[in-house]
Amino acid sequence: MVGSNWLRPGFKPEFQERSVCKHCNKTESMEHILTECSTPGQKETWKLAEELWARKNVPWPKLEFGTILASGNIPFKNSNGQRDPGATRLYRILIAESAYLIWKMRCERVIQNGNQPFTAREVHNRWVKEMNLRLEVDCQMTNPKFQKKALRKGLVRETWKGTLFSETDLPEDWTWETGVLVGIRPQERDRRGRET
């Protein structure tokens, strides 16, 4: 439910108000939500995705609404000009997970939280949590019990290569290790309440 879909006859006025972004005073379209809204959420999320992507040493494509929608069809190549399945897969994960998180935060803000924006710290920590959950699912999906549906360990390692916390200290096959995390850490507060 976005934009003019909230203007259906019979909807209560408080529902119809959801057709316009309270912070930007623009129609609440998917394009607005994912790429244009000035409310904390989307800008910070895409910045974190780009930061993790930079660890792959592959240029970040210009992020536009069409790029987000077509992210599943964008192939990346390695330095030899051959298709890079790890980078291609990571890009798809980053775009899909980040877009979904932006959508979830928008719905929470507009529908549940009386349009109260999230703090930059909350956005940061939620994104880190989502990426770590996705990494954990990837590792779990390498389990042989999934037979033909199991992910190849090599593909999972190539996907996350260069993006993990203390990666040089991990064993070669870290997919069975517990506590493997992405290299961007959650933000915490120091004793004076400042973000670190």
Side-chain angles (χ1 to χ4, degrees):
M1 288 291 290
V2 294
S4 60
N5 290 323
W6 287 110
L7 298 175
R8 293 179 184 165
F11 274 14
K12 295 178 181 179
E14 58 266 25
F15 292 163
Q16 291 186 355
E17 290 175 4
R18 294 178 184 168
S19 67
V20 175
C21 176
K22 296 284 187 209
H23 299 274
C24 304
N25 205 28
K26 293 184 179 178
T27 300
E28 188 84 303
S29 65
M30 280 306 294
E31 185 170 4
H32 175 79
I33 293 165
L34 293 177
T35 64
E36 300 168 354
C37 189
S38 62
T39 308
Q42 65 89 10
K43 187 176 181 181
E44 293 80 3
T45 299
W46 293 126
K47 184 179 175 192
L48 287 163
E50 184 176 357
E51 183 181 333
L52 191 67
W53 178 257
R55 296 169 183 234
K56 286 294 235 186
N57 294 315
V58 179
W60 178 253
K62 183 178 180 187
L63 194 65
E64 297 174 338
F65 187 57
T67 311
I68 295 166
L69 295 179
S71 63
N73 293 322
I74 300 174
F76 290 90
K77 296 185 179 181
N78 61 24
S79 57
N80 297 330
Q82 297 174 330
R83 189 171 182 276
D84 185 338
T88 299
R89 187 167 182 273
L90 179 65
Y91 184 75
R92 291 174 182 171
I93 289 169
L94 287 174
I95 298 297
E97 295 292 339
S98 295
Y100 183 53
L101 178 61
I102 292 166
W103 172 252
K104 287 192 302 186
M105 289 189 299
R106 175 264 180 195
C107 289
E108 286 178 37
R109 175 177 51 83
V110 171
I111 297 170
Q112 296 174 338
N113 300 339
N115 249 313
Q116 181 66 37
F118 291 96
T119 65
R121 178 176 171 257
E122 289 171 321
V123 173
H124 178 100
N125 289 343
R126 286 188 64 170
W127 185 87
V128 171
K129 180 181 177 182
E130 292 298 323
M131 288 303 113
N132 283 324
L133 286 173
R134 180 56 197 257
L135 172 60
E136 184 179 338
V137 167
D138 266 12
C139 290
Q140 291 172 354
M141 288 302 297
T142 64
N143 193 315
K145 74 178 182 182
F146 295 114
Q147 299 173 355
K148 292 180 180 179
K149 294 183 180 180
L151 290 175
R152 290 184 301 106
K153 289 183 179 190
L155 177 60
V156 171
R157 288 194 305 264
E158 277 302 309
T159 298
W160 298 97
K161 182 179 179 179
T163 68
L164 303 177
F165 182 72
S166 297
E167 192 165 340
T168 56
D169 297 334
L170 294 174
E172 185 178 336
D173 181 11
W174 46 261
T175 58
W176 286 95
E177 293 290 317
T178 57
V180 176
L181 302 170
V182 296
I184 297 176
R185 309 296 288 164
Q187 290 180 348
E188 299 177 7
R189 294 187 179 275
D190 65 15
R191 289 183 293 201
R192 295 182 182 165
R194 296 176 300 201
E195 293 179 3
T196 58

